[in-house]
Amino acid sequence: CALRTNGSVACWSSESAGALGAEERAVRAATEVPGVHDAVGLAVGGDHGCVVIRGGAVACWGEGLSGALGTGDWEPRSTPATVLGLGPVVQVVAGSGYTCAVLTSGTVSCWGTHPAEAMIQGSRAPSERPEPLLALRDVAELSAGDDFACAVRTDHSVACWGESFHGELLGRFPTDSSAPVELPELGGAAQLALGHRFGCARGGDGSVSCWGRNDAGQLGRGVVSGEAGALAPVVWCSLE
């Protein structure tokens, strides 16, 4: 999907449903998402999409399994539906069956399934409506992967939660963590990007570090490894 400068959103896909809406099939050309006219932010998950509307509201569409749309049910939506129960939002991110938002207060709310449920009021049950992630404050930016999520705070410290089978939590936990795990190795991060069981961080000096799954060379080491993740970030290039 793409967010246009006029606030509209266009999507295309070779898969069914997902970010094009529950009634769509494969769409090879960019197609406008109906009802989106004043978007200032966009997030696309595995089978759904969300936008931040000017003024701070959030609207989502696509598959509603596990409550990923935040509409109070699991029903799919072919057009964006407003997420209720949120304060003004500055950023929205989406993963595989879950969505999270950073509010203007620097707090975070999530809805849907793993890994978001691991932080919602200590419960691991999917949430069909936004619930606050009580352990996180002063968040500047979120990043969502398929199976884990991370937050960069205003002091550039980083905390992540979710699955850790491939080293997503840098070896702090051998399995899932239901609470944010502090990752001092990523301290000073200016930006994060998470994928399918791996992540990368850009430092303030322009360097890039990656960690996690490396079976297809995701970490930029110049080699492919079938091992279950790297336990520390690997600096593999500099952008300066």
Side-chain angles (χ1 to χ4, degrees), residues 1-4 8-13 17-21 29-33 41-45 47-51 61:
C1 293
L3 172 61
R4 295 192 179 106
S8 63
V9 171
C11 295
W12 56 99
S13 174
L20 293 176
T31 302
E32 187 166 330
V33 176
L42 170 67
V44 179
D47 290 300
H48 72 291
C50 296
V51 289
W61 68 97

Side-chain angles (χ1 to χ4, degrees), residues 144-163:
D146 279 354
D147 58 359
F148 73 119
C150 295
V152 179
R153 299 187 182 93
T154 53
D155 63 0
H156 297 291
S157 63
V158 175
C160 300
W161 68 97
E163 291 187 6

